[in-house]
Amino acid sequence: MVSPFLADLFESHRTHLLSVAYRLTGSVGDAEDAVQESWLRMAGVHQSEIDDLRAWLTTVVSRICLDHLRSAAVRRETYVGQWLPEPIVSAASSSRTPDPLDVVVRDQDSRMAAMVVLDALTPQQRVALVLHEGLGVPFGEIAEVLGVSADAARQLAVRARRAVAKAPEPVADDVHDRAVQRFLAALATGDVAAVAATLHPDTTFTADAGGTTKTALNIVAGQEKVARLALGLWRKHQEEPGLELGAATVNGQSGLVLTDPNSPFGRPVRVLAFSVRDGKIWAAYDFANVTKLSGARLR
């Protein structure tokens, strides 16, 4: 039986736990499940056994997320096309009650480019990096979570840090917004050269559809190739009746969402996120598998 006091303490840590779980799993559903599971485990432990509730819950959530990561690795083996972390999507301007997910993406470590890099790590590397770099958890405690030695946990974090260093530094929101606006304005002209001019020389386009719709199966790289693909998708949208294209906030920065206005809650059917480098679009992420859009809170 959980005392009302302990229940209130748990709620005070919920956003922290959700942030940890999302960065660890890259899945909104898995993150929410992990937080709920940590509550159930807390309910089965005597209050006197917990010295530091925040630390105890963080450890529990990390262990649960490690299991989720291992299951996800199995699912990826049969997944069609590219696998991206699930986005957290909200309306560009909203008067609704703030959602804990909104708080999660205020942290630059949850920007889409950073999440994509985390998704490329092994489960153990990811846990070691997030717990040590993001939360300052000692390697001895991380070792207990992973079931390895402290030295092994340290080496996992070092290798993960090297991989994460390849991601671009997040840019200020206004810089990001201007780059996206220039890209959209160029798309409206229908001119390949104009679109290409808004793209970084190292630009890439990654689509995650899971075989549910037609899109690029492999990562597309290069200004002209990405420009032609983006224009093709833009024209396809113009020909699709009944769907609306609008602005959205994706992992804390401006993106696009395609919605079905006839569905009860304006169900999103596609989301586009961007990363910006040197004032131009460095990466575009196309989320076209609706089963991975549970993190959309548009109303």
Side-chain angles (χ1 to χ4, degrees):
M1 183 70 178
V2 178
S3 69
F5 173 71
L6 200 58
D8 287 343
L9 275 179
F10 178 86
E11 287 304 317
S12 73
H13 296 307
R14 181 180 290 276
T15 298
H16 160 73
L17 296 174
L18 189 58
S19 177
V20 171
Y22 176 65
R23 289 197 68 215
L24 286 176
T25 64
S27 164
V28 175
D30 285 350
E32 292 175 332
D33 288 347
V35 173
Q36 184 60 27
E37 178 65 21
S38 72
W39 160 260
L40 296 175
R41 294 191 185 185
M42 186 187 74
V45 175
H46 196 277
Q47 190 170 335
S48 62
E49 298 178 39
I50 303 175
D51 294 326
D52 183 334
L53 181 60
R54 182 184 177 95
W56 187 89
L57 286 169
T58 299
T59 297
V60 169
V61 163
S62 300
R63 286 176 173 152
I64 296 170
C65 289
L66 185 58
D67 291 337
H68 280 297
L69 281 171
R70 288 166 174 160
S71 297
V74 174
R75 294 198 302 270
R76 290 191 196 193
E77 292 177 1
T78 57
Y79 197 76
V80 179
Q82 304 302 308
W83 177 290
L84 287 170
E86 294 180 12
I88 294 177
V89 188
S90 59
S93 59
S94 176
S95 58
R96 64 179 174 79
T97 303
D99 189 286
L101 289 174
D102 295 335
V103 180
V104 168
V105 294
R106 289 176 189 168
D107 187 344
Q108 290 191 341
D109 288 337
S110 295
R111 296 291 186 257
M112 187 51 63
M115 293 300 298
V116 169
V117 173
L118 285 177
D119 240 29
L121 301 176
T122 68
Q124 287 189 319
Q125 287 175 342
R126 188 168 188 165
V127 172
L129 181 74
V130 171
L131 292 186
H132 184 69
E133 298 293 318
L135 302 171
V137 177
F139 284 118
E141 295 180 24
I142 296 173
E144 292 181 12
V145 173
L146 297 176
V148 300
S149 68
D151 284 341
R154 183 179 292 103
Q155 287 304 311
L156 286 165
V158 168
R159 286 192 286 270
R161 195 181 305 119
R162 289 173 185 158
V164 170
K166 298 175 184 177
E169 289 291 325
V171 300
D173 289 347
D174 60 337
V175 175
H176 181 97
D177 292 345
R178 287 195 294 271
V180 173
Q181 289 163 4
R182 285 193 294 268
F183 174 66
L184 295 178
L187 283 175
T189 69
D191 182 69
V192 173
V195 176
T198 69
L199 305 176
H200 190 277
D202 299 326
T203 190
T204 59
F205 184 100
T206 307
D208 180 338
T212 61
T213 187
K214 289 184 178 180
T215 190
L217 287 177
N218 299 314
I219 297 174
V220 178
Q223 288 170 295
E224 185 171 343
K225 288 182 179 179
V226 172
R228 290 187 182 280
L229 176 59
L231 273 174
L233 291 173
W234 179 267
R235 289 166 182 152
K236 180 183 177 183
H237 159 63
Q238 305 299 321
E239 298 169 358
E240 288 182 324
L243 296 180
E244 295 181 352
L245 182 67
T249 299
V250 186
N251 283 56
Q253 293 190 305
S254 57
L256 298 172
V257 61
L258 198 62
T259 57
D260 180 358
N262 296 317
S263 66
F265 301 102
R267 182 175 63 90
V269 298
R270 200 164 196 149
V271 169
L272 279 169
F274 305 96
S275 292
V276 172
R277 194 172 199 167
D278 300 329
K280 295 186 176 184
I281 302 296
W282 176 77
Y285 309 102
D286 179 17
F287 302 91
N289 184 350
V290 294
T291 64
K292 296 181 76 171
L293 296 179
S294 65
R297 307 287 195 267
L298 297 175
R299 293 186 180 180

